[in-house]
Amino acid sequence: MGSLFPLFLLISFSLSSPTFPKIQAQDIKSAPLLDLLIRDYTFKSYYKYFRTGSVHTVHAPVNLSGIGIDAAKFRCGSLRRYGAKINEFHLGKGVIIHPCIERVMLVRQNLGHNWSSIYYDNYELSGYQLISPVLGLLAYNAGDNKNSSDPFEVGILAGKNPITIDFGNTSMLDNPTGLIPLCVSFEHDGKVKMANQVAPNVCAASGHGHFGLVIESPMLPERKRASRWKVAIGSSIGAALGAFLLSLLLIALFVKVKKKARMEEMERRAYEEEALQVTMVGHVRAPTATVTRTVPVIEHRYRPSPS
């Protein structure tokens, strides 16, 4: 995910100061950082007259414009006995808050299509397209005093019935492919989980987190698969052709060497069987004969006169 340095500064500042730093929207690149900002503004907007069990809308500041925030405060026991509904999220009976403190603040987020891109950029969603805004449900400890120490996140665990998220009333992007959307859950460890819908535009979850609807983007994966297959087939054909040519070259060299050796052997045997003596003059084979001297013959019978 994004750099942890802004997150570290954010946590350090929040622990040392009652006011929260002003951060511009373009500086928010991390999903955990965005969650901390929403948490801070939610608790800053909390007033004692907020009724327990009632859902209250939190008006986001300018730097978080486009995000819908709702919050509700519950007692852990009441939440477990009766469940709750916060806009798109429905928590059935038996839901468990851990660690269970006396009261808990549930914060619902609707990131809209602009802010949802943070999750698309920080999670591996290649080959898929978000068609719904990312919806988040987080829980924090809540005391009677709004100025108490900084709230920490607590877990939500569904009971016998899962937590359902209804995307039916959210602004959905067009789905020209006609594919059935899949539910996606963005985990804290940076991974994503895909699951089928339990009803049209309804997803199920076992706990808190961020969720959305995605469809496959067929063009990009097919191109990738096609290019990979082309590379694999081309490499295989090239390797086979290279091996074939190399084998032909080796066979030709072997035949040539064998033929040369055979010719040399035949010539050697021919030399041994020849009656005529043969000698080598340079690189030329030439026959030779026994050396004889010619007897001189006087052409005219002439005798010198006696002196």
Side-chain angles (χ1 to χ4, degrees):
M1 298 180 68
S3 175
L4 296 178
F5 184 68
L7 181 59
F8 173 76
L9 291 179
L10 183 61
I11 297 175
S12 301
F13 196 95
S14 64
L15 292 175
S16 60
S17 175
T19 59
F20 208 72
K22 183 73 172 180
I23 299 180
Q24 300 299 322
Q26 61 269 20
D27 298 328
I28 304 173
K29 304 296 184 181
S30 168
L33 176 60
L34 180 60
D35 288 339
L36 287 178
L37 286 170
I38 295 174
R39 180 207 67 177
D40 180 76
Y41 284 113
T42 299
F43 276 83
K44 282 175 62 177
S45 302
Y46 172 74
Y47 296 100
K48 287 185 177 180
Y49 64 79
F50 276 14
R51 294 178 55 188
T52 299
S54 299
V55 179
H56 303 276
T57 299
V58 178
H59 299 285
V62 176
N63 61 334
L64 295 179
S65 60
I67 300 179
I69 307 173
D70 292 285
K73 188 176 180 180
F74 297 93
R75 290 182 178 272
C76 293
S78 299
L79 187 61
R80 184 169 185 174
R81 286 191 297 270
Y82 305 109
K85 187 178 187 303
I86 305 179
N87 287 9
E88 301 88 357
F89 292 90
H90 182 265
L91 291 75
K93 297 179 181 179
V95 63
I96 299 173
I97 303 297
H98 61 90
C100 182
I101 29 78
E102 183 180 357
R103 289 182 177 84
V104 63
M105 179 77 76
L106 300 184
V107 179
R108 165 263 185 191
Q109 308 170 1
N110 184 338
L111 300 185
H113 292 288
N114 291 333
W115 288 96
S116 296
S117 61
I118 290 181
Y119 283 85
Y120 191 85
D121 296 336
N122 288 278
Y123 286 81
E124 180 56 41
L125 278 176
S126 59
Y128 292 91
Q129 176 188 357
L130 275 169
I131 62 170
S132 74
V134 173
L135 302 180
L137 179 67
L138 299 177
Y140 303 94
N141 68 305
D144 292 331
N145 185 3
K146 67 172 182 177
N147 294 320
S148 60
S149 61
D150 291 310
F152 57 85
E153 186 176 348
V154 296
I156 305 175
L157 183 63
K160 185 177 180 180
N161 298 318
I163 300 171
T164 58
I165 309 105
D166 188 356
F167 291 88
N169 294 326
T170 61
S171 58
M172 306 279 286
L173 296 179
D174 293 335
N175 183 10
T177 61
L179 298 173
I180 299 177
L182 295 173
C183 300
V184 59
S185 172
F186 300 94
E187 304 296 322
H188 286 289
D189 57 1
K191 298 180 180 179
V192 295
K193 289 184 179 180
M194 301 280 185
N196 294 324
Q197 303 179 56
V198 296
N201 297 328
V202 178
C203 298
S206 59
H208 59 282
H210 294 81
F211 312 92
L213 291 176
V214 296
I215 58 172
E216 289 189 51
S217 299
M219 296 302 296
L220 184 60
E222 287 181 0
R223 288 174 183 172
K224 287 185 176 180
R225 293 192 193 102
S227 61
R228 290 174 182 174
W229 276 109
K230 287 179 181 179
V231 170
I233 293 175
S235 301
S236 301
I237 294 176
L241 183 60
F244 177 73
L245 294 177
L246 181 61
S247 61
L248 289 180
L249 178 61
L250 293 176
I251 292 173
L253 291 175
F254 177 77
V255 171
K256 183 177 181 181
V257 171
K258 195 74 173 175
K259 185 177 181 180
K260 182 178 180 181
R262 186 180 302 157
M263 290 296 297
E264 292 177 351
E265 179 67 17
M266 292 176 64
E267 290 179 355
R268 185 183 65 81
R269 292 182 179 180
Y271 296 159
E272 293 176 354
E273 294 175 355
E274 285 181 351
L276 188 63
Q277 186 177 357
V278 177
T279 186
M280 296 297 295
V281 180
H283 296 286
V284 179
R285 181 171 58 88
T288 58
T290 305
V291 178
T292 57
R293 295 190 61 180
T294 306
V295 178
V297 177
I298 299 176
E299 295 181 358
H300 302 284
R301 294 182 177 180
Y302 174 76
R303 294 183 178 178
S305 58
S307 53

